Amino acid sequence: MRRYSAFLRIVTALCIGAFLCAGLCGCDKQNAAAQAAVPGAVAADEPGQEEPLQWHPEDGYICIVFGYGFNNPEFHEDAIKKLQEKYGLEEDGGIIIPLIYPDSLNGRISNIYDIITEHKTKGVILLGAPENTHRTLTKLRAAWQEPAAAEADGTEESQPDGQQPYPIFSFMPQDDILGQESNCDFVLEYERSSSIEEELNQETELLDKTVEQILIRAVRYIDEHKDPLPPDDKLHAHVQTIVGDHKIHRYTDSESGLQAINHFVIEQTQEPLE
């Protein structure tokens, strides 16, 4: 009789344990399903990776222009896919507005003005900015400095104090470099070598290996920092963080020997940072 009672107690304990385990598994599945149902939630691919990212379109959009050297499908399709996974595209309720020049802009870079001003913008990234991009950026700057005029043409980004309301990063521009420097937080390009052939080979190699990663880090930087980067002694460190493994330094004019404030170049060496 005692053996039978002990047996019943063991069986009862096992049943209770199985019931509790099933309940906990059900809760885990419900929690996972709830997380997947949250708009803008992106789960980490593997344990130990970054925390899931959340996008919030109400905070503003990041406009990315794929210009010369970056408007071929081999580059922009993969880059946009990765950004879509992390931040979502505007058409899907995300925060990224990709613009492929010239197709997305009807052949005119000036059309980015309407797109930027019609949205609540939190940042602009220019890849291979084509000619006269700086003129559109100058027009944007004029709108910030003239709130009345900006309000008349529907610009939402007018600033009473005339201050730049969001970051503007320019990578490898084909536009007037001084115009880019005066209208962007910073300009980044490749260091020029003495050999044109060597230079082209180097740029192609760097383009294939690093620009997409730089773009993704630049988007994350804008998403996290939100404010424009001032041209102070900290700017070099900000840009180096965005670039990652390849060392950068300020551009030096070959004729005057003067260093640019917000113009940087990726050094020719392919050695990663220590």
Side-chain angles (χ1 to χ4, degrees):
M1 187 59 129
R2 291 179 180 177
R3 291 180 180 178
Y4 181 70
S5 299
F7 176 75
L8 285 179
R9 285 196 297 271
I10 294 172
V11 171
T12 302
L14 290 174
C15 289
I16 293 174
F19 177 78
L20 291 175
C21 182
L24 290 174
C25 291
C27 291
D28 289 341
K29 290 180 180 179
Q30 290 178 354
N31 290 336
Q35 181 180 8
V38 176
V42 181
D45 295 332
E46 298 178 3
Q49 290 188 349
E50 297 175 352
E51 291 294 324
L53 299 173
Q54 297 283 338
W55 55 71
H56 302 285
E58 64 272 14
D59 294 336
Y61 298 89
I62 299 176
C63 180
I64 303 175
V65 178
F66 293 84
Y68 294 138
F70 305 93
N71 52 3
N72 57 306
E74 291 79 6
F75 178 82
H76 71 69
E77 287 181 356
D78 186 64
I80 291 174
K81 179 181 178 182
K82 290 181 179 178
L83 290 171
Q84 182 180 27
E85 293 171 351
K86 287 179 174 291
Y87 296 97
L89 304 183
E90 177 205 15
E91 60 191 34
D92 303 323
I95 66 172
I96 302 298
I97 302 179
L99 299 171
I100 314 301
Y101 178 82
D103 298 344
S104 302
L105 299 166
N106 296 321
R108 300 187 59 169
I109 190 62
S110 59
N111 287 331
I112 65 172
Y113 179 86
D114 292 333
I115 296 173
I116 292 172
T117 56
E118 287 171 1
H119 293 80
K120 183 177 180 182
T121 302
K122 68 188 301 182
V124 176
I125 297 176
L126 305 168
L127 297 174
E131 297 91 340
N132 297 321
T133 302
H134 70 283
R135 294 184 178 179
T136 300
L137 298 178
T138 300
K139 184 180 178 182
L140 278 172
R141 192 168 297 280
W144 305 331
Q145 296 171 351
E146 299 178 6
E151 184 177 357
D153 65 15
T155 301
E156 296 181 1
E157 299 295 345
S158 58
Q159 299 293 303
D161 56 4
Q163 297 298 312
Q164 180 178 327
Y166 45 75
I168 302 178
F169 300 163
S170 180
F171 300 98
M172 297 76 184
Q174 302 297 312
D175 189 23
D176 176 75
I177 198 66
L178 293 178
Q180 288 282 306
E181 290 177 1
S182 63
N183 286 290
C184 301
D185 293 29
F186 67 84
V187 178
L188 177 71
E189 58 180 347
Y190 300 119
E191 187 173 36
R192 304 298 177 181
S193 67
S194 57
S195 168
I196 295 178
E197 183 178 355
E198 177 187 349
E199 178 182 315
L200 292 175
N201 290 337
Q202 179 193 22
E203 290 193 8
T204 300
E205 184 178 0
L206 280 170
L207 175 64
D208 293 342
K209 291 183 177 180
T210 65
V211 175
E212 185 178 280
Q213 298 173 358
I214 291 174
L215 172 61
I216 292 173
R217 282 194 291 265
V219 170
R220 189 178 188 97
Y221 219 75
I222 289 176
D223 187 49
E224 292 178 347
H225 290 78
K226 298 179 174 58
D227 295 325
L229 300 177
D232 55 21
D233 56 356
K234 298 179 181 179
L235 183 58
H236 184 282
H238 286 299
V239 180
Q240 184 66 76
T241 299
I242 293 171
V243 172
D245 292 338
H246 293 282
K247 295 181 181 180
I248 65 167
H249 61 254
R250 280 186 166 84
Y251 171 80
T252 301
D253 183 77
S254 58
E255 296 183 0
S256 65
L258 297 176
Q259 280 193 340
I261 297 176
N262 64 338
H263 182 180
F264 298 87
V265 295
I266 299 176
E267 294 182 5
Q268 290 185 26
T269 175
Q270 295 296 302
E271 294 298 324
L273 291 174
E274 295 182 357

